[in-house]
Amino acid sequence: GRVGFDVPGGRYALLQAQATDLGNTVVFASLATGGELHVLPEEAVTDPALVAGYLTEHSIDFLKAVPSHLAALASVAGAEGVLPARSLVLGGEAASPELVCELVEHAGEAGVFNHYGPTETTIGVATTRLSADDAGVGLVPVGSPVGNTRFYVLDEALRPVPVGVAGELYVAGAQVARGYVQRPGLTAERFVANPFEPGARMYRTGDRARWTADGRVVFLGRTDEQVKVRGYRVELGEVQSVAAAYPLVAQAAVVAREGVPGETRLVAYVVADDPDEDSSGLPAAVREFMARRLPEHMVPSAVVVLGELPLTGNGKLDRKALPAPDYGNSSAGTGRRAASLQEELLCLAFAEVLGLDSVGVDDDFFELGGHSLLAVRLVSRIRTVLGVETEIRTLFEAPTVAALAARLTGAETARTPLTPMPR
């Protein structure tokens, strides 16, 4: 009930894979309350019109979604199109104040809740109902501890920090796991003795946080190299090891950067094994190599070739000295010009969605930093400027302007735009 899923017999919709933490929250909440669980097919969850139509047609009461996924859907269907009848729960990553403001404004009597919790604390340990005031302070609170759970925001000496001061968040209570299977070293590092409860343990989240005056926690980011990319938790070291495994790469580093505002993108920096060789094709080759070995959300949006990795005075990687990638450089926007009005409009749509000055007809959408959620926005933009309907799958199969233009020939006319209707 603490996350707003509190009505017996309610209808729940699942937009994520059932194996994820996010999915489990909805699955068990529906089963434990005698509810009705609706699992949307994979091809539907990135289509704003289909999601909005499904929520309305089946009178969905409860929905939980990753903020970036929801924002992509709302950018097309509108906030009112992705709101369930009773409660919307945000989880998996930090929610932007802009998105929260929009959702709260259109929610009416329905509640918009934030939800937080690492896997090691059995998915969810904090929640709060959000208001317009919460979004107006710049950082959206993740909430207060749920029942049988205790939070500690501590400094490096495990001393509690004052309200408003940043520290590392530790979680104690019934939901803390026993540890990691067959990994005693990591278990001892993350599941530590609780100095405030003799004989008890607490989980070191690795999340920076602070208390608010009203007893809620605000998430401030990670203390280590673990980051959230579109709701998925990613270990940068794991991505880096794949980049370094490419035969022509001598060294590699992977960092998380904010591309367009509010969106985290991974960037790989590589040093060629042979500095005398032409490295112009190395970025594309490394990215293709990684795409065959990693899930989409773990594949860097850009690969930058450097003569050497910058180091600090003590020999560690100097992350601040790594140059920002220029998604619009090299061949982007400089190749063959558009041969038709349709190609010209597609070039403009690609550039607008990717946040670039220009895009050439032979530039690959995904090599320029695109991903599945941006693809949702591109499909929407194509619908608006060209008046034709296309699918996300088509963009994956034909990721350049030239290839997509050929596929759009003869495409069906776009569906009538969604319009707000009284509930």
Side-chain angles (χ1 to χ4, degrees), residues 91-392:
E93 66 183 6
S96 72
E98 294 78 14
L99 175 63
V100 171
C101 275
E102 184 179 7
L103 294 172
V104 171
E105 179 184 350
H106 290 88
E109 295 300 316
V112 178
F113 294 80
N114 215 353
H115 195 209
Y116 163 86
T119 303
E120 294 86 347
T121 57
T122 321
I123 303 174
V125 286
T127 187
T128 187
R129 181 167 183 166
L130 299 172
S131 67
D133 291 340
D134 290 328
V137 299
L139 289 171
V140 180
V142 295
S144 304
V146 299
N148 298 319
T149 301
R150 292 167 295 286
F151 280 3
Y152 306 101
V153 180
L154 309 176
D155 63 16
E156 293 182 354
L158 298 185
R159 296 171 301 196
V161 298
V163 171
V165 175
E168 185 171 356
L169 179 62
Y170 290 75
V171 178
Q175 293 183 217
V176 175
R178 294 183 179 181
Y180 300 104
V181 176
Q182 298 180 354
R183 301 189 69 180
L186 184 59
T187 296
E189 176 187 340
R190 309 300 296 191
F191 295 85
V192 298
N194 186 344
F196 311 103
E197 298 179 52
R201 297 175 312 137
M202 58 184 183
Y203 173 67
R204 180 183 181 185
T205 67
D207 290 337
R208 294 177 60 250
R210 62 172 170 81
W211 287 107
T212 63
D214 60 358
R216 294 185 295 175
V217 165
V218 174
F219 172 76
L220 302 175
R222 293 290 301 169
T223 62
D224 51 23
E225 294 183 357
Q226 193 180 75
V227 298
K228 280 290 185 73
V229 178
R230 307 200 310 269
Y232 295 95
R233 192 161 63 172
V234 175
E235 292 282 357
L236 296 182
E238 183 179 356
V239 182
Q240 181 174 303
S241 65
V242 176
Y246 186 71
L248 301 181
V249 169
Q251 292 178 284
V254 176
V255 301
R257 287 182 174 274
E258 189 175 52
V260 295
E263 178 184 341
T264 299
R265 291 181 176 180
L266 299 181
V267 180
Y269 297 87
V270 298
V271 176
D273 187 53
D274 186 350
D276 297 326
E277 286 285 335
D278 179 14
S279 61
S280 60
L282 190 57
V286 171
R287 196 172 184 280
E288 181 181 0
F289 176 84
M290 300 181 74
R292 293 197 303 266
R293 291 160 173 79
L294 294 170
E296 184 210 359
H297 65 274
M298 294 178 69
V299 178
S301 297
V303 176
V304 179
V305 180
L306 300 176
E308 60 181 9
L309 294 178
L311 303 177
T312 62
N314 59 6
K316 295 183 178 180
L317 178 67
D318 188 357
R319 297 181 178 277
K320 294 181 180 179
L322 292 169
D326 184 0
Y327 294 100
N329 69 359
S330 65
S331 64
T334 62
R336 178 172 62 86
R337 291 193 173 188
S340 65
L341 176 60
Q342 184 183 56
E343 286 190 348
E344 185 175 346
L345 292 174
L346 283 174
C347 285
L348 293 173
F350 272 51
E352 180 182 341
V353 170
L354 292 167
L356 302 178
D357 293 332
S358 63
V359 170
V361 293
D362 296 315
D363 293 331
D364 189 297
F365 177 79
F366 299 100
E367 291 182 1
L368 295 179
H371 51 70
S372 57
L373 295 185
L374 286 180
V376 173
R377 298 179 186 176
L378 179 59
V379 167
S380 168
R381 192 65 190 142
I382 291 172
R383 183 184 297 122
T384 300
V385 299
L386 293 178
V388 296
E389 200 67 46
T390 187
E391 297 178 351
I392 302 293

Side-chain angles (χ1 to χ4, degrees), residues 45-100:
V45 297
T46 54
D47 188 314
L50 289 181
V51 171
Y54 194 98
L55 297 181
T56 300
E57 179 183 352
H58 295 275
S59 302
I60 298 300
D61 296 305
F62 306 108
L63 176 69
K64 184 177 182 183
V66 175
S68 57
H69 183 185
L70 199 69
L73 297 175
S75 68
V76 180
E80 64 281 351
V82 295
L83 282 163
R86 294 183 182 272
S87 294
L88 169 68
V89 176
L90 305 173
E93 66 183 6
S96 72
E98 294 78 14
L99 175 63
V100 171

Side-chain angles (χ1 to χ4, degrees), residues 391-402:
E391 297 178 351
I392 302 293
R393 180 178 59 190
T394 303
L395 182 60
F396 278 91
E397 296 170 351
T400 68
V401 167

